[in-house]
Amino acid sequence: MKLLSIAPNAHYDMTHGQPKVLEKDNDGSCVVRLNVAPEMGGNGDIAVQSENAEPVQTGWSCFEVRTFAEPTKANLKKAIIRSIVDETAEFDLVNSYNKHLMGIKVDESAVQKYKDFLTLTEEIDAVLVESLKS
């Protein structure tokens, strides 16, 4: 459950360029985008494409979350985490981890899943710190 493994849910064409990581919208909401990456495709002309055609950038893909909360680091982090893992699933991760530690239900995978979740939260922190600087 690491940040780079999250599948993109938004795609942009080349018209407006690379989307910003943090953008305020006119409706009072804020959009935060993670894992912004170029999308590559063929040369665009199907009749001319060949197996040796160089891929060209056709746009951008990213994981996008919209929130109406004030765009503070804490609010953005919460919106991102909740879009990936709901509260019930997070509580299940914590409870499974605690059961393992206490010997109630030994499950080595619970430790790894919880570590992955904590790693995800740290990666989100790092991205937000960087994006809120600019």
Side-chain angles (χ1 to χ4, degrees):
M1 189 187 327
K2 298 198 170 84
L3 194 56
L4 290 176
S5 67
I6 298 170
N9 64 357
H11 304 274
Y12 294 88
D13 60 23
M14 296 294 288
T15 306
H16 295 93
Q18 182 174 352
K20 296 179 183 176
V21 172
L22 185 62
E23 187 172 3
K24 292 183 181 180
D25 209 345
N26 292 335
D27 63 359
S29 68
C30 180
V31 177
V32 61
R33 297 178 184 96
L34 306 172
N35 301 342
V36 177
E39 271 189 342
M40 305 304 279
N43 64 7
D45 186 354
I46 296 172
V48 180
Q49 286 185 2
S50 69
E51 290 181 22
N52 298 330
E54 290 291 319
V56 286
Q57 185 174 353
T58 58
W60 301 91
S61 65
C62 61
F63 179 74
E64 182 174 280
V65 177
R66 181 178 299 273
T67 181
F68 283 90
E70 184 68 27
T72 63
K73 180 182 168 209
N75 287 340
L76 294 173
K77 182 178 179 180
K78 180 179 178 181
I80 294 166
I81 291 172
R82 286 297 157 249
S83 71
I84 300 167
V85 179
D86 67 19
E87 285 183 13
T88 304
E90 182 180 350
F91 289 145
D92 185 47
L93 287 171
V94 174
N95 286 335
S96 296
Y97 175 76
N98 286 332
K99 286 178 193 176
H100 174 78
L101 287 183
M102 295 176 162
I104 296 170
K105 182 179 178 187
V106 177
D107 181 5
E108 289 296 329
S109 68
V111 175
Q112 189 57 50
K113 288 176 185 175
Y114 192 53
K115 282 182 180 179
D116 289 346
F117 175 74
L118 294 177
T119 300
L120 173 71
T121 63
E122 288 301 308
E123 290 173 354
I124 291 170
D125 270 343
V127 168
L128 290 175
V129 165
E130 189 62 35
S131 66
L132 293 175
K133 283 183 192 176
S134 50

